[in-house]
Each structure stands twice: as C-alpha cells, then as structure tokens.
Amino acid sequence: MRLGALLCVFFIACGPPHVARRARSLLVAGDLAGAVTAYRQWRARRHGDDPDALRAMAMSTLWSALSWPSPRARARAIRVIWRLELEPLARDVSRLFNDDDLVVRTTAAAALLRAHPDAPTLLEQALSSDVAEARRIAIDVLARKMG
C-alpha cells in the first residue's frame, strides 16, 4: 500500500483538485482503468503527457499485478520489475518468496539474487524441483551470475 500512498500524493500535488481526488480514489480502490481515464482527462486539460504521472501509473499497475490471482501474471510483473530494476518494488517482490507457486517464488528469487540473502537458497531449491520452468529460471540466472 506504500506505493499507492505515494501515487495519491503525486496526484494531489500535480493535478487539478477534482481530477486528483478522483484518480487518487480510483488508485486506492484498485481501479487502474478508472485511474487511466482520469489521467486522460487530466492530460487533455494540460495539453500533453506527464512522464511522472505515467511512471506512477505504470508502477501502480506492476505493484497491483504482484497480488493478482494468476501466478503467470505475478511472474510476468516480477520479470518487468527485474528488467527495469525498479528498486521501490523490491520489498513487494521479496514477499513473493512465500508464494504458493514455485515459478513465482523462483522468479522473485532470481530478481533479487544480489539484493536478498534468501534468494540463493530459493534458487537452489528450484534446481531440484519437478517444475521445469522453475529449474530453467534458476539455471539461467545462476549461469549468468557465474559467466
């Protein structure tokens, strides 16, 4: 929820009051599509995009995706966070070390290999699992680290 609070502050500081309130309430409620609509209204009034607002909405979307029901969606969100090195979301990614899905846990460990002390252990466990995708991720990230 920490990221949601930051996004709310951003919209309050940067947007027209009624659009900011609407976008804030939509983000807090998890209505990302509604927040995008509010941004479009805001953008029309400003006659252009605001890179900070777009970045905030993208971060909010990724943060939200980390808790979606689909393990595939959670793993994809982690890969994007990893690729873009979005450090503000590292703590949220580390919470997925306890996810029910092994691929999600392995992807989270791969993303935080150098930043979290438990990541190597999780990758080692994935190497001996029956889940081929988890083994592939672990082998790939460990090979890159050694090479």
Side-chain angles (χ1 to χ4, degrees), residues 4-81:
L6 291 173
L7 294 172
C8 291
V9 169
F10 173 80
F11 276 112
I12 290 169
C14 301
H18 66 283
V19 175
R21 279 193 301 273
R22 182 164 179 239
R24 179 185 64 213
S25 65
L26 293 168
L27 283 170
V28 169
D31 182 0
L32 299 177
V36 168
T37 299
Y39 173 78
R40 285 183 180 150
Q41 292 171 356
W42 181 30
R43 188 180 95 196
R45 287 191 177 100
R46 293 175 55 100
H47 304 292
D49 282 315
D50 184 319
D52 292 330
L54 289 173
R55 189 174 302 106
M57 287 193 308
M59 292 281 284
S60 178
T61 301
L62 288 168
W63 175 73
S64 174
L66 293 174
S67 61
W68 287 351
S70 166
R72 189 173 181 190
R74 292 192 305 276
R76 284 185 178 179
I78 294 166
R79 283 192 292 271
V80 171
I81 292 164

Side-chain angles (χ1 to χ4, degrees), residues 71-72 75-76 79 82 101-107 110 123 126-127 129-141:
R72 189 173 181 190
R76 284 185 178 179
R79 283 192 292 271
W82 178 14
D101 186 87
L102 181 60
V103 171
V104 171
R105 288 194 309 268
T106 305
T107 305
L123 290 172
L127 289 172
S129 86
D130 293 337
V131 181
E133 179 66 9
R135 285 194 317 270
R136 185 199 60 77
I137 293 166
I139 290 168
D140 184 53
V141 76

